[in-house]
């Protein structure tokens, strides 16, 4: 099978890291197509970045559909553009945030999220409410490292995230941790070992859930909110993937 993993920001080193994390867990018969938009913010830190990343993301979803993708993973923890992408795709579309929340809720009574900056917390809290999983999440925390700070080998990201994990264990009584950024994908195993509890990375979680849905022959429902977009006039020129393009 072929799974498209799209990093909605435009930082190539993050796309490479995400692609490596996806390939590390993919089954032998799964081909991972990693991509990022040609335009948009270098990182997504809050609502404004998120809004401007969606048009480029949707173009990449359309391209992956043409390339025969059986499923798509949106590799931004805010699950940026998830519902619009589901309208554009035939197969399943999995957000790494939603995937990680579900897996953590199968492992622990309550989990906490550790993301990058505090400004990213409201979007994550909104998603937990939207997915009906807010009751399973004790708290969404931030380690106060910018998204691209995770790309700096000299950063103390792992230590800073670890400090937040210890606070989550002591103060939230968290029994599992969800890493709240695609850029943390390479840290999960080491953090889980060091801190003695399950640490879930959304990239790996989303790839395995996508594989499972495809293997079960389950695709996005097209009889309601995720039906394909209707053909209509589009000022400024219709983007790739628009009906009739
Ligand atoms: C992500 N931003 O996973 C989110 C995390 C965040 O560019 N990739 C990003 O901080 O919202």
């Amino acid at each position: 099978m072929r799974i498209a993993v799209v990093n909605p920001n435009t930082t190539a080193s993050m796309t490479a890291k995400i692609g490596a994390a996806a390939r590390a867990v993919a089954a032998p018969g799964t081909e991972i197509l990693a991509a990022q938009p040609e335009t948009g913010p270098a990182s997504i830190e809050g609502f404004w970045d998120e809004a401007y990343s969606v048009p480029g993301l949707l173009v990449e979803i359309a391209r992956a559909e043409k390339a025969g993708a059986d499923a798509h993973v949106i590799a931004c923890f805010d699950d940026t553009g998830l519902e619009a992408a589901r309208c554009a795709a035939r197969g399943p579309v999995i957000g790494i945030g939603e995937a990680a929340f579900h897996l953590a809720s199968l492992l622990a009574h309550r989990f906490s999220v550790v993301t990058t900056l505090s400004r990213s917390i409201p979007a994550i809290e909104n998603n937990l409410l939207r997915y009906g999983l807010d009751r399973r999440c004790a708290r969404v925390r931030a380690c106060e490292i910018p998204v691209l700070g995770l790309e700096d080998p000299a950063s103390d990201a792992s230590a800073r995230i670890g400090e937040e994990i210890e606070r989550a264990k002591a103060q939230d009584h968290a029994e599992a941790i969800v890493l709240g950024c695609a850029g943390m994908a390479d840290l999960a195993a080491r953090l889980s070992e060091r801190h003695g509890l399950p640490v879930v990375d959304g990239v790996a979680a989303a790839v395995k859930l996508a594989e499972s849905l495809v293997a079960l022959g389950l695709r996005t429902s097209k009889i309601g909110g995720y039906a394909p977009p209707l053909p209509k006039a589009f000022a400024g020129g219709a983007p790739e993937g628009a009906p009739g393009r």
Side-chain angles (χ1 to χ4, degrees):
M1 72 178 74
R2 185 171 288 178
I3 298 179
V5 178
V6 185
N7 168 21
N9 75 39
T10 51
T11 296
S13 63
M14 268 189 81
T15 305
K17 180 193 291 187
I18 290 163
R23 293 184 181 100
V25 298
T30 298
E31 180 186 3
I32 299 293
L33 305 174
Q36 66 188 49
E38 291 167 3
T39 60
S43 64
I44 296 164
E45 294 167 320
F47 296 117
W48 193 90
D49 295 342
E50 201 173 311
Y52 274 96
S53 71
V54 173
L57 164 78
L58 293 175
V59 168
E60 294 308 315
I61 297 289
R63 289 174 177 171
E65 283 289 291
K66 281 188 181 158
D70 298 291
H72 303 264
V73 167
I74 296 179
C76 174
F77 195 77
D78 301 12
D79 296 340
T80 311
L82 178 60
E83 303 209 279
R86 285 179 176 157
C87 297
R90 286 158 296 137
V93 183
I94 311 292
I96 68 170
E98 187 173 21
F101 297 151
H102 280 291
L103 290 202
S105 65
L106 299 176
L107 302 170
H109 176 66
R110 70 177 71 233
F111 60 86
S112 285
V113 177
V114 179
T115 190
T116 54
L117 300 176
S118 296
R119 60 181 296 130
S120 294
I121 290 174
I124 296 168
E125 290 176 337
N126 287 351
N127 285 349
L128 283 159
L129 280 167
R130 186 155 62 105
Y131 304 148
L133 289 168
D134 52 301
R135 292 178 55 211
R136 303 298 300 276
C137 180
R139 183 170 168 185
V140 181
R141 292 173 167 273
C143 64
E144 301 309 345
I145 293 177
V147 169
L148 298 187
L150 295 165
E151 300 306 291
D152 174 3
S155 89
D156 58 352
S158 182
R160 298 265 295 276
I161 295 165
E163 289 161 12
E164 211 56 40
I165 290 174
E166 288 305 317
R167 291 189 193 101
K169 287 164 64 178
Q171 300 168 16
D172 312 343
H173 306 294
E175 301 155 356
I177 295 293
V178 167
L179 295 180
C181 180
M184 298 176 181
D186 58 333
L187 303 176
R190 200 178 333 148
L191 288 166
S192 181
E193 179 69 29
R194 187 191 306 159
H195 296 281
L197 81 174
V199 175
V200 180
D201 151 51
V203 174
V207 168
K208 300 314 282 185
L209 286 175
E211 282 181 337
S212 298
L213 290 168
V214 172
L216 292 169
L218 295 171
R219 300 156 67 112
T220 297
S221 173
K222 291 297 176 184
I223 63 169
Y226 297 144
L230 297 173
K232 61 191 66 178
F234 202 106
E240 281 181 66
R245 255 293 301 254

